[in-house]
Amino acid sequence: AFDPERPECIAPAGQGGGWDFTCRSVSKLMLDQGLVSTPVQVVNMPGGSGAVGWANVTSKRNDDSNVFVATSAVAATMLAQDRYSSGPDGVKWLAMLGADSGVVLVNQDSPYNTLEDLMTAIEADPSSVVAGGSSAIGGWDHLRYLLAAKAGGISGDALRQMRWVQYDGGSPAVTQMMGGHLDVVVTDIGEIAGFIESGDAKALAVMSEERLPAFPDVPTAIEAGYDMVGYNWRGFYIPAGVAQETYDGWLEIMSQVYESEEWKQTAEQNGLTPIFRGGESFTEFVEDNVVNQRELSKEIGIIQ
């Protein structure tokens, strides 16, 4: 079986974030389960929302069979906006092991009780609703908010008039919303689950394919009639120049990690829904993400 000599996971961000968590938790499980015989070294390589790690792997380590890199929906956004040093085919996409679902959140006393209530208000006057989350304009939280609107038939000028405020994370955004500074928050549900559980905020919809076991009462956007999903998926890529048997070996290791009870527990404790896509289906999924986000980024004027 494939057994890398000096396995290394690059987290293209600082310690404590999502990519760092993805690298560390998966690397530990690989060793615990005997899928690798040498402990995985985790290397933090922050910069440019993953651009520094991407450039390092694609230019200097393109045939290194030891290295795998944590990635997420953020990478698809960066690729869609041409902010990495090459396109999606600059690497080999390996697998995703889980996803944090986007959520549309309003205050407990908000006049909006359904996603349709909210979208009807936006349609009537796009600038009347102030939304926010943990990404900049054109970032993933903002784009998935717009994708929901687009699925409801809002387009062109109206999309560009929709208001968005950036915060340092989902929790600060919810706190501002509770203070009356925002009408809506769109972010990962894992980060702000406590506000829903405490009743301080109400979730209008989750952006997942099915209802989340932790929040069985919250409908999906799809159920509400908006055909879109907004996952912040967590996964890995490896260098494009490695041999097919290396790729297959890493894919097998990732599949085994995913199948373990330990991963299911780790994922759910961290607000992730365990979802597996590997190999070709994952590659196509990422490429579709990039295409959809590129169209949307053009429509709202983020890129030409």
Side-chain angles (χ1 to χ4, degrees):
F2 172 70
D3 187 11
E5 284 172 36
R6 296 181 308 283
E8 177 185 330
C9 187
I10 293 177
Q15 292 188 357
W19 287 337
D20 186 58
F21 156 77
T22 306
C23 259
R24 287 179 198 280
S25 55
V26 169
S27 297
K28 179 180 182 302
L29 290 178
M30 281 180 185
L31 189 66
D32 289 353
Q33 291 162 24
L35 302 170
V36 291
S37 54
T38 315
V40 180
Q41 185 189 4
V42 175
V43 176
N44 291 91
M45 202 176 285
S49 298
V52 172
W54 180 281
N56 179 279
V57 169
T58 53
S59 65
K60 299 189 176 127
R61 307 184 66 176
N62 192 40
D63 55 0
D64 189 336
S65 58
N66 288 295
V67 69
F68 61 109
V69 187
T71 185
S72 69
V74 171
T77 307
M78 299 300 284
L79 286 162
Q81 296 169 4
D82 296 320
R83 295 186 189 182
Y84 282 1
S85 54
S86 57
D89 55 0
V91 300
K92 282 190 165 132
W93 298 94
L94 195 57
M96 65 180 255
L97 279 71
D100 202 339
S101 171
V103 63
V104 182
L105 210 62
V106 294
N107 249 341
Q108 197 43 51
D109 55 3
S110 166
Y112 313 125
N113 291 306
T114 63
L115 190 54
E116 195 173 6
D117 291 347
L118 172 65
M119 291 300 169
T120 303
I122 292 170
E123 218 164 352
D125 179 0
S127 64
S128 65
V129 175
V130 184
S134 64
S135 72
I137 287 179
W140 182 225
D141 280 353
H142 182 219
L143 287 186
R144 53 186 166 182
Y145 175 53
L146 296 178
L147 282 169
K150 208 174 164 178
I154 295 170
S155 64
D157 273 350
L159 280 181
R160 287 193 285 275
Q161 288 164 27
M162 287 169 63
R163 291 163 70 187
W164 183 261
V165 186
Q166 174 186 1
Y167 292 94
D168 283 341
S171 294
V174 177
T175 307
Q176 289 298 310
M177 182 176 76
M178 287 163 61
H181 304 288
L182 277 180
D183 303 306
V184 189
V185 169
V186 178
T187 194
D188 290 336
I189 198 166
E191 198 185 335
I192 52 80
F195 292 103
I196 304 173
E197 286 156 0
S198 66
D200 288 312
K202 58 185 175 188
L204 301 184
V206 288
M207 296 173 164
S208 49
E209 276 149 334
E210 291 166 3
R211 291 195 183 203
L212 301 177
F215 298 98
D217 301 336
V218 181
T220 65
I222 295 170
E223 282 177 75
Y226 299 81
D227 187 13
M228 60 81 64
V229 292
Y231 285 123
N232 189 5
W233 45 266
R234 309 265 181 203
F236 298 94
Y237 64 79
I238 61 173
V242 300
Q244 184 64 38
E245 45 272 33
T246 300
Y247 181 84
D248 294 342
W250 275 121
L251 186 54
E252 180 56 30
I253 288 174
M254 290 297 171
S255 311
Q256 303 243 26
V257 168
Y258 178 78
E259 291 301 330
S260 69
E261 271 314 301
E262 291 80 358
W263 169 249
K264 305 281 195 297
Q265 286 167 359
T266 302
E268 281 163 3
Q269 281 161 3
N270 287 277
L272 298 183
T273 305
I275 304 173
F276 188 83
R277 277 192 179 90
E280 208 168 306
S281 79
F282 179 53
T283 305
E284 285 172 12
F285 173 77
V286 174
E287 287 167 352
D288 286 349
N289 269 216
V290 172
V291 169
N292 292 340
Q293 293 190 43
R294 179 167 285 148
E295 282 172 12
L296 188 57
S297 298
K298 282 183 175 160
E299 196 169 348
I300 60 169
I302 296 284
I303 53 174
Q304 295 310 305

